[in-house]
Amino acid sequence: MIEMLSFSFMQRALIAAVIVGVLCSVLAFFVVLKKLSFVGVGVSHSALGGVALGVIAGVDPVITGGFFATAVAWLIGWVSRKGHMSEDTVIGTFFSASMALGVVLLGLARSYTADLMSYLFGNILAITETDLWLLGGLTVLVLLFVSLFFKELLTMTFDEELAQADGLPVGPLYFGLLTAIALTVVVTVKAVGLVLSSALLVIPAATGFELAKDFRRMLAISVATGVIGSVAGLVVSFYLDVASGATIVLGLSLIFLMAYTLSPRKPWVARVLAKRREKSASPTL
Amino acid sequence: MASQTVANAVEVRDLTVWLNGQTVLEEVTFDIPTGAFAGIVGPNGAGKTTLLKVLLGLVRTYEGSILVFGTPPARLGAQRHKIGYVPQRPNFDRSFPARVLDVVMMGRVSCRGLGRRFTPADREAALESLAMVGALELKDRPIGELSGGQQQRVFLARALCSHTQLLLLDEPNTGLDLPSQNQFYELLDTLRRENSLTIMVVSHDLAMVSRYADRILCINKRVHVHGSPSEVLESPLLDQVYGCEFEQIASRGVVIAGGSH
């Protein structure tokens, strides 16, 4: 471990893993409860079109990718809320079209073809100090947005129509959430890649959901899972010399599988827990 | 709750509403006096739910004039918390990880204000609301584990906890057995008397509503009959609202009205 930390690229990677773990797992809380997983997948894959545009135009791909992903996220939100088309049809259409655009554009810029894999699957070991500042800055913004409007976001997530009847600005809140998801996808490109970032926007909170019946505990478990899974994945990838993004996602998936198997939502687990409670409550002779 | 009292909690004039290109309500005009218990009845598809949604500002494709406490719904702003709403079937996921008290406190979001944290006063108001509907012992239970009747009470508490003056309920008895329906209406009536509430209940059960409401609004796209329960039950215009179902409704209404008063 100490040997690993002697490399400055590993120190940066470790800090990035912690930040990505926190950022993604906080948003994942709303993604899972509001059932936006497919939106996350759609936006993350769509971002490739924007990243490729940046590569071709010689602009920072994070900037073009950010605009592109946000535009796609808003379009998904707008079309689905207007009710002209179902959300999954919109996502299915945009996500494949934008990805195809990205692959073609990156193909045209032949000198950059090698970058395609790093955009798709990420390389957390290549994180620079600037990337860290960008990641940290967005994390602060997202955490501010979530903490400032937590009760409103939770109310909207629970029942959107009731929230609207309460007079909450449901539209701006929803689009704020979509923007946060889109920007998160783009700034985590280097760490885990576009394809795998959607996993980070689901798995930590899905783990929390399996283990908790109270949203506070769900959020805490989500953040813990995000951070532990990301750091553990990074460490394992270092020692096994395998792709870091994929190892992080595999680590998270493993934690989720354990949570799913032992979830108190499972009838057999609930029975065992109830028996234990009965035993501990009964007076000892 | 020291606000000026307006004579009519709700005033609707020549209201026509469109949804997806269809006219759902047409030239609807009525008043609901402050403190009234009004039943809105009519067959399926009559526009009852839409009427509530227009009053809540959820549907805005309309022509005509609507005033809630003297103000159009879209301009209620900070006064929005005066309206409480209990939907027919709350659209939440039963596995949502929230306790009953959390759900009731969501009803305080509108009076606390955007971006402001809940205070102990919000928690107290939510607990008081739960006590008012007789569901205080449920406060720590996960919302998804409650029965339909218990959930209905929790959502009523949610609608009441923001200094509510006008309570709108959409088919609150869907899925409840007859004794539970009666208990729920008794509770509404008590709450109205003790808290000076104005209540509007949408229902297709004219007989049940007639027992508790002091005025009935019979709609089927248009307002066909509007008056006291006895006036409405005896009105020949009910034919236009319910058609062939009228005989059955009228006889149930007479029997129940005779039995209870």
Side-chain angles (χ1 to χ4, degrees):
Chain A
M1 190 76 176
I2 291 166
E3 178 211 349
M4 189 183 90
L5 288 174
S6 65
F7 301 108
S8 61
F9 69 88
M10 271 311 288
Q11 292 166 4
R12 287 194 298 273
L14 208 60
I15 296 170
V18 172
I19 297 177
V20 167
V22 172
L23 173 63
C24 290
S25 54
V26 167
L27 279 178
F29 173 78
F30 293 105
V31 168
V32 167
L33 288 180
K34 186 117 184 76
K35 302 190 184 346
L36 295 174
S37 304
F38 196 41
V39 172
V41 173
V43 171
S44 60
H45 286 64
S46 303
L48 187 67
V51 167
L53 275 176
V55 170
I56 287 272
V59 181
D60 187 344
V62 171
I63 297 173
T64 50
F67 276 111
F68 205 82
T70 307
V72 169
W74 283 21
L75 207 64
I76 291 169
W78 183 73
V79 176
S80 60
R81 288 175 82 80
K82 284 282 168 191
H84 298 315
M85 213 186 271
S86 73
E87 204 166 64
D88 61 338
T89 308
V90 182
I91 296 167
T93 308
F94 277 103
F95 127 45
S96 42
S98 306
M99 262 201 110
L101 176 72
V103 172
V104 168
L105 287 178
L106 284 172
L108 288 173
R110 291 184 195 286
S111 55
Y112 291 96
T113 317
D115 284 345
L116 179 61
M117 287 299 277
S118 70
Y119 288 125
L120 289 178
F121 300 107
N123 182 7
I124 202 167
L125 303 178
I127 290 259
T128 62
E129 208 166 299
T130 315
D131 296 329
L132 275 185
W133 279 110
L134 195 67
L135 254 177
L138 185 77
T139 305
V140 169
L141 278 179
V142 168
L143 291 183
L144 262 177
F145 169 67
V146 169
S147 60
L148 204 57
F149 299 112
F150 187 81
K151 71 180 194 311
E152 288 84 0
L153 288 167
L154 191 76
T155 304
M156 175 186 77
T157 304
F158 180 72
D159 187 327
E160 196 166 317
E161 191 188 44
L162 266 180
Q164 216 172 349
D166 287 338
L168 285 187
V170 165
L173 285 169
Y174 182 67
F175 281 92
L177 198 56
L178 288 180
T179 308
I181 292 170
L183 296 179
T184 298
V185 161
V186 177
V187 297
T188 53
V189 162
K190 272 208 172 165
V192 285
L194 294 169
V195 173
L196 298 176
S197 62
S198 50
L200 273 153
L201 283 167
V202 176
I203 301 174
T207 306
F209 182 82
E210 286 300 324
L211 296 178
K213 287 188 175 181
D214 179 278
F215 67 84
R216 298 164 194 83
R217 287 190 68 187
M218 177 183 164
L219 183 58
I221 294 172
S222 176
V223 173
T225 306
V227 173
I228 292 169
S230 301
V231 172
L234 174 64
V235 173
V236 171
S237 78
F238 176 82
Y239 286 108
L240 296 184
D241 194 18
V242 286
S244 48
T247 319
I248 287 172
V249 173
L250 279 179
L252 287 169
S253 306
L254 197 67
I255 299 174
F256 170 74
L257 267 178
M258 287 192 286
Y260 180 75
T261 313
L262 300 170
S263 169
R265 292 176 188 273
K266 293 265 179 311
W268 74 269
V269 180
R271 273 198 300 274
V272 171
L273 290 174
K275 271 188 185 169
R276 277 196 177 179
R277 271 197 298 271
E278 271 174 30
K279 265 190 184 174
S280 62
S282 60
T284 46
L285 296 172
Chain B
M1 270 200 247
S3 60
Q4 76 272 24
T5 309
V6 280
N8 289 322
V10 177
E11 287 179 12
V12 174
R13 297 283 176 275
D14 301 319
L15 175 71
T16 298
V17 184
W18 299 273
L19 277 181
N20 304 319
Q22 305 259 327
T23 307
V24 184
L25 290 167
E26 216 171 339
E27 291 173 25
V28 169
T29 294
F30 66 90
D31 293 332
I32 304 294
T34 302
F37 190 142
I40 302 165
V41 296
N44 292 334
K48 307 184 294 289
T49 298
T50 304
L51 179 59
L52 287 197
K53 289 190 174 177
V54 174
L55 294 177
L56 285 161
L58 298 179
V59 172
R60 296 186 181 188
T61 46
Y62 69 84
E63 245 177 31
S65 154
I66 307 165
L67 296 177
V68 178
F69 297 118
T71 309
R75 287 197 220 141
L76 274 169
Q79 302 299 305
R80 183 64 166 257
H81 67 83
K82 287 181 181 173
I83 310 178
Y85 174 49
V86 181
Q88 183 176 2
R89 278 198 188 89
N91 192 23
F92 76 99
D93 180 351
R94 287 182 77 95
S95 60
F96 197 96
R99 296 172 304 159
V100 163
L101 185 59
D102 299 321
V103 173
V104 178
M105 280 184 75
M106 287 177 192
R108 297 284 297 174
V109 169
S110 57
C111 45
R112 180 49 53 209
L114 266 183
R116 296 187 178 191
R117 288 183 182 280
F118 282 133
T119 65
D122 295 306
R123 187 185 151 84
E124 283 309 310
L127 289 171
E128 198 182 314
S129 237
L130 275 169
M132 276 160 68
V133 302
L136 190 57
E137 75 282 1
L138 302 175
K139 69 180 169 63
D140 293 321
R141 294 268 304 275
I143 183 73
E145 290 180 7
L146 304 188
S147 69
Q150 288 172 325
Q151 276 183 14
Q152 201 58 267
R153 280 175 185 256
V154 170
F155 282 94
L156 179 60
R158 184 195 187 284
L160 285 171
C161 74
S162 57
H163 306 299
T164 308
Q165 293 177 22
L166 172 64
L167 189 58
L168 306 177
L169 302 100
D170 189 3
E171 306 272 10
N173 287 334
T174 305
L176 300 188
D177 57 26
L178 205 57
S180 305
Q181 289 184 31
N182 276 321
Q183 278 173 15
F184 192 77
Y185 273 100
E186 294 281 358
L187 173 65
L188 285 182
D189 200 32
T190 310
L191 289 170
R192 177 180 67 119
R193 279 185 275 104
E194 290 177 357
N195 301 282
S196 311
L197 284 174
T198 307
I199 295 181
M200 288 176 75
V201 182
V202 157
S203 174
H204 55 252
D205 191 344
L206 176 55
M208 177 63 80
V209 171
S210 303
R211 294 181 67 187
Y212 298 93
D214 50 29
R215 60 183 53 233
I216 303 279
L217 191 71
C218 229
I219 61 171
N220 192 359
K221 275 195 180 180
R222 291 166 174 270
V223 174
H224 289 263
V225 199
H226 182 196
S228 68
S230 56
E231 284 167 351
V232 170
L233 285 167
E234 285 159 21
S235 169
L237 290 172
L238 268 185
D239 272 345
Q240 290 177 23
V241 183
Y242 282 95
C244 57
E245 292 176 49
F246 168 59
E247 289 295 331
Q248 187 194 349
I249 289 158
S251 62
R252 278 183 71 190
V254 169
V255 169
I256 290 169
S260 68
H261 296 290

